[in-house]
Amino acid sequence: MRLENKVAVITGSATGIGQAIAVAMAQAGAAVVVDYIGKPDAPKQTLQMIQDAGGKATAIDTDVSQPDQVNSLIQQTVQQFGRLDIFVNNAGIEFKHPFLEFPLDQFQKIVAVNLQGPFLCAQAAAKQMVAQGGGGRIINISSVHEDLPMPTNAPYCATKGGLRMLTRTIAVELAPHGITVNNIGPGAIYTPIDADIEANPQLEAQLMAEIPVGRWGKPEEVAGLAVFLASDAAAYITGSTYFIDGGMLRQAGSL
Ligand code: BGC
């Protein structure tokens, strides 16, 4: 799948799944904006990987929950690369607590990043795509937990469930403009978001037992699906979630 002459923004692409998508899209020929938050050297590794692969990229610091910063991300992208074809809402966070003790401020932070962020980014990206003409691609990184409950992770699950319906609804609204909107729903992918489980062999074994394929997914495996959904070959695919979870959602749980 090639993405030549396309311009892609990937939020939260300093690490993990976002990093793998940024590198894969650059390898496929897209000019890439590595969106990150925090320290200026955070996106260095992703930029280096893209450079090593012979790709083209720049990094922009954006808090996706802030409308002004999101608008500026789109403006800077267009200033630098001339257009915007692909927007990947990947940035996401999770904090785990039992529901009865879940602090409101953490709930609000999760909603701001995982749901308000994709809403603002998809809206600003789609405005640019409509203005320039020729359609576009919006890809949201959701989770198996847009469907599957996860105790101690209620706000995260609620935002991913929200992303499911945001995608379905705006896919219908944006279809006349040639813009497709899809979710990717990863299962357990080996990234920093699961550092606590990766460092605990007992928890890790418990998680692996829930996955028919019996292993963590790799960020690159998710990236392959993102490149396909971003490509011209996926023009007729919109409004759906594509799970990539080693069979986790289909686990019967019986012996
Ligand atoms: C969560 C991980 C979890 C995985 C599988 C992801 O969406 O971020 O914490 O291990 O789903 O349950």
Side-chain angles (χ1 to χ4, degrees), residues 10-24 34-35 42 45-46 49 90-92 141 186 189-194 198 217-223:
I10 299 99
T11 67
S13 48
T15 61
I17 292 173
Q19 178 179 72
I21 293 175
V23 173
V34 176
D35 158 77
Q45 194 187 31
T46 308
M49 289 164 84
N90 167 79
I141 306 305
I189 310 298
Y190 200 86
T191 72
I193 208 170
D194 271 337
E198 289 151 17
K218 298 177 196 151
E220 300 73 36
E221 292 174 304
V222 181

Side-chain angles (χ1 to χ4, degrees), residues 15-74:
T15 61
I17 292 173
Q19 178 179 72
I21 293 175
V23 173
M25 288 193 173
Q27 273 169 342
V32 165
V33 174
V34 176
D35 158 77
Y36 70 102
I37 189 164
K39 298 198 183 97
D41 63 352
K44 262 194 181 158
Q45 194 187 31
T46 308
L47 290 175
Q48 189 63 50
M49 289 164 84
I50 291 174
Q51 201 183 318
D52 292 348
K56 191 157 74 168
T58 191
I60 300 177
D61 182 356
T62 308
D63 179 343
V64 295
S65 69
Q66 301 301 316
D68 294 350
Q69 293 190 38
V70 169
N71 289 334
S72 156
L73 170 66
I74 304 294

Side-chain angles (χ1 to χ4, degrees), residues 31-204:
V32 165
V33 174
V34 176
D35 158 77
Y36 70 102
I37 189 164
K39 298 198 183 97
D41 63 352
K44 262 194 181 158
Q45 194 187 31
T46 308
L47 290 175
Q48 189 63 50
M49 289 164 84
I50 291 174
Q51 201 183 318
D52 292 348
K56 191 157 74 168
T58 191
I60 300 177
D61 182 356
T62 308
D63 179 343
V64 295
S65 69
Q66 301 301 316
D68 294 350
Q69 293 190 38
V70 169
N71 289 334
S72 156
L73 170 66
I74 304 294
Q75 272 167 20
Q76 289 181 67
T77 300
V78 175
Q79 264 161 23
Q80 196 141 346
F81 292 128
R83 53 186 294 110
L84 172 64
D85 303 286
I86 302 158
F87 196 100
V88 183
N89 278 307
N90 167 79
I93 55 171
E94 67 182 355
F95 308 120
K96 295 177 192 161
H97 300 285
F99 173 58
L100 293 177
E101 291 146 30
F102 219 108
L104 177 61
D105 61 333
Q106 289 193 16
F107 170 84
Q108 287 168 331
K109 178 83 188 151
I110 295 167
V111 172
V113 176
N114 294 11
L115 192 54
Q116 183 166 312
F119 171 84
L120 292 171
C121 288
Q123 191 181 50
K127 279 184 184 170
Q128 172 60 31
M129 291 167 184
V130 169
Q132 77 195 12
R137 298 277 185 271
I138 296 171
I139 300 168
N140 302 314
I141 306 305
S142 175
S143 167
V144 286
H145 300 297
E146 70 165 51
D147 206 35
L148 186 69
M150 184 175 184
T152 76
N153 218 356
Y156 179 84
C157 293
T159 59
K160 297 302 183 180
L163 208 45
R164 178 185 178 97
M165 284 312 297
L166 180 71
T167 291
R168 290 179 179 195
T169 308
I170 68 176
V172 173
E173 289 192 51
L174 295 176
H177 299 284
I179 301 168
T180 67
V181 190
N182 290 291
N183 278 9
I184 293 178
I189 310 298
Y190 200 86
T191 72
I193 208 170
D194 271 337
D196 53 337
I197 303 175
E198 289 151 17
N200 181 330
Q202 212 178 329
L203 278 181
E204 188 177 46

